[in-house]
Amino acid sequence: MTRWLGIALLPSAEHRTAAIHLQQEVGGDHPLRPPLSPDGNLPHVTVFQGPFLDSLDPAAELDRIVAGADAPERITLTSPGVVYQPTGWVFLSLERPALLEKIQQMTVEALAPHLDRAAFDAAKDVSRFSEDERVSFERYGYRYTGAAYAPHITLGRAEETVAQELVRSAPERVHVPGAWVFDRFSFYVMGENGAHAEILEERALAPR
């Protein structure tokens, strides 16, 4: 059976709340989907996600990734602000330090053997993907790996022109914190539009 799962960094409680409020403020009269909440779709930074075979053991793989990451207790990422991503996506863009690149590379190497490649969406419209994104999607079924990795918190999705206008006007309407703190790893079940719908396994970045 195919399971649609992902690994993510989760923000601290303070920044989880800030991300939820930011989604509401950016959307304004045009609520972004799906809605973020503290006990539903959690704000998160995806490291990798996709369709997986039953051979995948989320607990064991997450333990391996945490051990190999050798991360600090908290990771602080700066943000250049809210950005638009085709088609219809509104992202809180984040920096891509070497530590995140290392974590993603380790994660992809660990999980790639368990990917259900038959479940990749061969009909997906990739005409507006960059070349790196097309290569990533073809290889791993996920748009943002390797050179295409783009750390972000997904604020949601809207009709194309609405999303573009929300992002254009965001600097005039919304204060976006310049730094965001993350303190946990999560292995999660994907929901609407790839949302973080349910935690399967959770670990501190630097277990004691």
Side-chain angles (χ1 to χ4, degrees):
M1 180 181 72
T2 302
R3 295 181 294 170
W4 291 84
L5 308 174
I7 285 186
L9 298 176
L10 296 182
S12 65
E14 176 186 355
H15 286 95
R16 177 185 65 197
T17 300
I20 292 169
H21 289 163
L22 182 62
Q23 182 196 49
Q24 296 166 351
E25 292 173 355
V26 170
D29 295 333
H30 303 277
L32 295 166
R33 297 287 307 171
L36 300 173
S37 71
D39 53 4
N41 294 320
L42 292 178
H44 66 286
V45 173
T46 297
V47 176
F48 185 64
Q49 65 180 25
F52 291 99
L53 303 165
D54 287 335
S55 60
L56 176 66
D57 181 340
E61 295 299 344
L62 188 54
D63 284 339
R64 286 177 55 197
I65 290 164
V66 171
D70 193 25
E73 292 185 0
R74 294 155 69 89
I75 295 175
T76 300
L77 300 176
T78 60
S79 172
V82 177
V83 300
Y84 166 78
Q85 180 75 349
T87 51
W89 295 99
V90 179
F91 287 173
L92 172 69
S93 181
L94 296 166
E95 66 174 319
R96 190 179 79 179
L99 176 59
L100 256 62
E101 293 179 351
K102 171 189 171 183
I103 290 171
Q104 190 192 59
Q105 182 179 358
M106 289 171 37
T107 301
V108 171
E109 289 174 356
L111 301 188
H114 304 285
L115 281 169
D116 183 355
R117 297 179 180 276
F120 289 3
D121 185 1
K124 189 174 185 66
D125 180 6
V126 298
S127 60
R128 297 183 68 182
F129 284 20
S130 69
E131 180 59 27
D132 287 334
E133 289 169 354
R134 282 193 289 272
V135 169
S136 176
F137 185 78
E138 180 178 330
R139 184 173 298 165
Y140 298 116
Y142 180 53
R143 183 175 180 176
Y144 304 110
T145 68
Y149 187 33
H152 63 275
I153 295 176
T154 300
L155 297 180
R157 203 169 190 183
E159 192 274 329
E160 181 80 346
T161 57
V162 170
Q164 291 173 331
E165 175 56 25
L166 291 177
V167 170
R168 186 203 65 77
S169 64
E172 306 162 7
R173 302 181 293 108
V174 180
H175 168 70
V176 179
W180 295 78
V181 176
F182 301 83
D183 59 11
R184 292 167 293 154
F185 282 109
S186 170
F187 218 127
Y188 64 95
V189 177
M190 294 167 59
E192 178 185 349
N193 287 325
H196 187 296
E198 177 188 346
I199 294 175
L200 286 179
E201 299 287 340
E202 185 175 358
R203 303 285 188 274
L205 292 184
R208 297 181 179 179

